[in-house]
């Protein structure tokens, strides 16, 4: 299954790499014939833009930060054994041992306690997790939701790991946080090509020339970013 995912990511990354090359060619042709306000990626100015923004565009991609944070929490869940136990419970493969049941109950209580704590924090007067107007929109809670979720599931996984003796030290927990990131390395490479394509598309103004608004481009951009990470 992992091999299939890697092949799928390789193809998606290659697709967006080729699309970027096609985009560069069309932007060059469009700039030669003075099509609208099309800017060429193959001009001296275009090459300077690419070199000056290639790292910045990738690092500033919202999907990259959110998913890396979620991957750290998921890493704890996977390496602690909680993920496998949940799969076994869903499939009803076999009876859980006494230690596994005890660890699963402890993890459930930990996750519930965390959820209650967050819920109470949202209900307190003068709540610091909401926006200055009391709105959820652009609030610290909304902006940090990926981190809150990662901490919650990571905390549950850590409790399971310690109770089940999968984790024996803090170092085990820290090591586990990188496991999912390593296994999803192909998706991070694919994301790089997705980001460069859409960033270049906006720079060249080709989308605007064909009548596609920036809002539509950003919508497709967000969808492709998350697809590259979740595929």
């Amino acid at each position: 299954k992992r091999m299939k995912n890697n092949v799928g990511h390789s193809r998606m990354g290659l697709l967006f790499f080729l699309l970027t090359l096609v985009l560069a060619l069309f932007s060059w042709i469009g700039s030669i014939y003075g099509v609208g306000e099309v800017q060429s990626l193959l001009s001296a100015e275009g090459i300077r833009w690419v070199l000056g923004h290639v790292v910045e565009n990738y690092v500033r991609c919202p999907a990259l930060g959110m998913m890396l944070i979620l991957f750290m929490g998921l890493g704890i869940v996977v390496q602690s054994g909680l993920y496998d136990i949940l799969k076994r419970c869903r499939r009803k493969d076999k009876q859980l041992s006494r230690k596994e049941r005890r660890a699963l109950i402890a993890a459930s209580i930990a996750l519930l306690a965390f959820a209650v704590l967050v819920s109470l924090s949202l209900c307190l007067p003068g709540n610091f997790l909401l926006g200055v107007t009391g709105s959820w929109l652009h609030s610290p809670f909304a902006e940090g939701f990926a981190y809150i979720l990662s901490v919650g599931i990571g905390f549950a996984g850590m409790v399971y790991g310690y109770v089940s003796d999968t984790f024996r030290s803090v170092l085990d927990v820290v090591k586990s946080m990188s496991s999912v990131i390593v296994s999803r390395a192909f998706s991070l490479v694919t994301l790089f090509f997705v980001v460069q394509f859409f960033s270049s598309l906006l720079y060249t103004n080709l989308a605007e020339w064909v009548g596609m608004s920036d809002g539509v481009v950003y919508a497709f951009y967000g969808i492709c970013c998350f697809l590259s990470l979740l595929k």
Side-chain angles (χ1 to χ4, degrees):
K1 184 177 180 181
R2 180 177 295 181
M3 183 63 69
K4 285 184 178 180
N5 286 338
N6 289 344
V7 171
H9 281 300
S10 298
R11 288 175 178 171
M12 188 175 181
L14 178 61
L15 171 63
F16 276 95
F17 172 69
L18 294 176
L19 285 175
T20 304
L21 294 181
V22 172
L23 179 67
L25 178 62
F26 274 99
S27 69
W28 175 66
I29 295 173
S31 65
I32 288 178
Y33 289 97
V35 177
E37 298 182 0
V38 173
Q39 301 184 93
S40 173
L41 282 173
L42 300 179
S43 65
E45 183 180 351
I47 293 173
R48 282 197 296 269
W49 177 85
V50 171
L51 295 177
H53 292 81
V54 62
V55 175
E56 178 185 357
N57 290 334
Y58 186 52
V59 173
R60 292 181 62 181
C61 174
L64 176 63
M66 285 190 289
M67 296 311 296
L68 283 176
I69 289 174
L70 284 173
F71 285 168
M72 287 190 278
L74 286 172
I76 300 175
V77 172
V78 171
Q79 293 301 307
S80 68
L82 177 57
Y83 179 70
D84 288 335
I85 288 296
L86 292 176
K87 284 202 304 183
R88 283 169 52 190
C89 289
R90 182 171 62 87
R91 296 174 182 173
K92 299 180 180 178
D93 288 342
K94 65 177 183 178
Q95 191 84 13
L96 300 182
S97 67
R98 178 183 238 174
K99 180 181 286 187
E100 288 172 337
R101 286 198 303 271
R102 187 168 64 245
L104 184 58
I105 292 172
S108 300
I109 292 174
L111 184 60
L112 178 61
F114 181 82
V116 169
L117 179 62
V118 173
S119 300
L120 288 176
S121 299
L122 289 170
C123 297
L124 291 175
N127 187 278
F128 59 89
L129 291 180
L130 298 180
V132 292
T133 60
S135 171
W136 293 76
L137 191 62
H138 301 303
S139 66
F141 177 78
E143 293 173 352
F145 181 74
Y147 177 67
I148 293 172
L149 179 59
S150 182
V151 170
I153 61 178
F155 179 56
M158 184 174 64
V159 170
Y160 181 89
Y162 277 119
V163 175
S164 65
D165 290 330
T166 306
F167 293 151
R168 297 183 180 276
S169 68
V170 176
L171 185 59
D172 292 334
V173 178
V174 175
K175 286 181 178 179
S176 70
M177 294 173 71
S178 65
S179 61
V180 172
I181 296 176
V182 172
S183 68
R184 305 295 295 186
F186 267 92
S187 64
L188 298 177
V189 174
T190 301
L191 178 64
F192 172 80
F193 290 112
V194 171
V195 170
Q196 301 315 316
F197 169 75
F198 281 98
S199 300
S200 299
L201 181 62
L202 290 169
Y203 171 79
T204 60
N205 293 321
L206 279 171
E208 182 180 346
W209 178 68
V210 299
M212 187 180 296
S213 67
D214 285 355
V216 174
V217 174
Y218 278 115
F220 278 110
Y221 176 36
I223 292 171
C224 290
C225 282
F226 283 102
L227 281 178
S228 68
L229 290 167
L230 299 175
K231 186 176 175 60

